[in-house]
Amino acid sequence: MEPKATRLRRGEGPRGEQEDRPSGEGEPPSGGAESWEVLEVGTHRGEGVVKTQLLEHAQGQLTELLDRAMWEAVRSYPPQEPEGLGPGEWLDELMEVQHFRTIYHMFIAGLCVFIISTLAIDLIDEGRLMLEFDLLIFSFGQLPLALMTWVPMFLSTLLVPYQVLRLGARPRAGGAWVLRAGLGCVLLVAHTVGLCALPVLVALKYQLPPASRCILVFEQVTRRGVAGRAPRKGSSGGWGEGMQAPSFSSYLYFLFCPTLIYRKTYPRTPNVRWNYVAKNFAQALGCVLYACFILSRLCVPVFANMSREPFSTRALVLSIMHATLPGIFMLLLIFFAFLHCWLNAFAEMLRFGDRMFYRDWWNSTSFSNYYRTWNVVVHDWLYSYVYQDGLWLLGGRARGAAMLAVFLVSAVVHEYIFCFVLGFFYPVMLILFLVIGGLMNFMMHDRHTGPAWNVLMWTMLFLGQGIQVSLYCQEWYARRHCPLPQVRDHDPHSAPHPEGHTPLPSSQPSVVT
């Protein structure tokens, strides 16, 4: 956040300073050169128009200044009652209300219905009770290999960036400084190449299934995002004088605590509620089982054979409408499992006090508010290291360009995650996030309030999730039914199949990259 004194020197002072300064002498009004030009032109149109424009300009600047100051104050102020609930535990607080707890019980009842229906179908078809988890077992296949790959990725992030920070924290001393800078650049380049190449090579060579790939890609994206920005504390930093390397303990704590913004110290809770940790991990596991039942019962029967039928607009529209319900279920499960259960469990184990992982995004009446409140952890990183840095590079004038850079970075990273996990490039997420989401961010802004806008936002979320689930499932099974080995079978110059290669049953997806 830019210091207040700097903004006052640039003319972004409070409203009172702009009104008290005479308009005909001394320095231009606090609005800067732009407001001064407006004043010169306005003298020919009447003092009333000029005064209105100046007051609106000053009010906008003062509002933005107060919003940023209050936001930073809330984020940095330690909680008065550490043992109480934090903002990221709002769902736990809402669970204390009987009416909201009933909605939670309805979701549990839905999971029970899925289990009962699975048992009933198995009893009718197989003549015996059996509860198979084929999709779950397939998704987490080769999990030990994924964990073995995760270890060197984590050790590289733990050791290499920290040593580079220590080299950069030493004082400049002629040739020694040049050697240290060169060594630090070489280490960072090697770390970046290894962190980017290792998980990709392992996933391609061993054909890791989606859930095992998630472990690698989240480690890759998260560590790459925090490693180069660890020493920053709300201001620009880098190699040179005045830079202080963090202690190893604080750097290690930062790599595990659920935040992407480095601080020397964080608010800490007095003790660990291990029953709360176990509860969150159990709920996260339940969400994984729930997602598997939704995919196997609501998606696989519909899309498994759809790619074998002739394409038609009617079938495409019906598939999208059919996928809206499982799509929104998947969205809610991902939110609850990761942003609430997983992050709160790690925060509790590490006694991390800042639990603002999300806010009440479900009450949003605009997409701009939804993007700010859905994932506060990532939003804070994008705001600090993309938006603010963009304003600094562009001189603080092109706010639209800085916001576009935020959307571009976020969309590219989301698309890369989908591409890595699914094993193919199909830019549905990129188009929905960057194009549709960007337009909605500017069209459905914070000025729109009321229940109708909240209904419209949820309608767009339903449709967006339906499009994603439908198109990704169709592409998945299209590659499953038309794999490249079948094409090579008809080519006399093609290489033979490897020994032991057997395709998965039609009810299970396969990874083709």
Side-chain angles (χ1 to χ4, degrees), residues 98-161:
Q98 181 179 0
H99 302 289
F100 194 89
R101 190 166 61 247
T102 301
I103 300 177
Y104 176 72
H105 294 163
M106 291 169 61
F107 276 87
I108 298 178
L111 177 60
C112 295
V113 170
F114 276 121
I115 297 175
I116 294 173
S117 64
T118 302
L119 293 175
I121 293 174
D122 292 338
L123 180 61
I124 296 174
D125 293 342
E126 303 294 336
R128 58 190 178 92
L129 291 177
M130 51 186 300
L131 190 61
E132 297 181 353
F133 299 96
D134 295 340
L135 184 60
L136 182 65
I137 295 174
F138 164 77
S139 299
F140 285 92
Q142 305 187 59
L143 183 59
L145 178 60
L147 296 178
M148 290 177 60
T149 308
W150 175 88
V151 173
M153 295 173 62
F154 171 74
L155 292 179
S156 176
T157 306
L158 177 64
L159 300 177
V160 175

Side-chain angles (χ1 to χ4, degrees), residues 487-498:
V487 177
R488 290 197 296 265
D489 286 342
H490 300 283
D491 187 1
H493 302 286
S494 62
H497 290 293

Side-chain angles (χ1 to χ4, degrees), residues 416-478:
Y416 173 75
I417 293 174
F418 271 70
C419 179
F420 189 97
V421 172
L422 297 177
F424 55 81
F425 176 70
Y426 195 42
V428 177
M429 168 61 75
L430 184 66
I431 296 176
L432 289 178
F433 200 109
L434 184 59
V435 180
I436 307 300
L439 292 176
M440 288 297 173
N441 179 73
F442 290 99
M443 295 174 59
M444 294 181 61
H445 45 74
D446 293 334
R447 295 179 182 178
H448 296 149
T449 58
W453 291 100
N454 183 250
V455 172
L456 179 60
M457 193 209 72
W458 273 104
T459 303
M460 300 300 295
L461 286 179
F462 269 83
L463 293 177
Q465 291 303 118
I467 293 173
Q468 289 187 60
V469 171
S470 175
L471 295 184
Y472 277 122
C473 286
Q474 292 182 52
E475 181 67 16
W476 178 279
Y477 282 105

Side-chain angles (χ1 to χ4, degrees), residues 78-79 146 188 229 258 327 359 402 439 486 506:
L188 284 179
R229 290 295 188 176
R359 289 186 286 169
L439 292 176
Q486 291 184 4
S506 60

Side-chain angles (χ1 to χ4, degrees), residues 108 170 207 273 385 456:
I108 298 178
R170 296 179 182 179
Q207 289 294 292
R273 298 171 293 176
Y385 297 124
L456 179 60

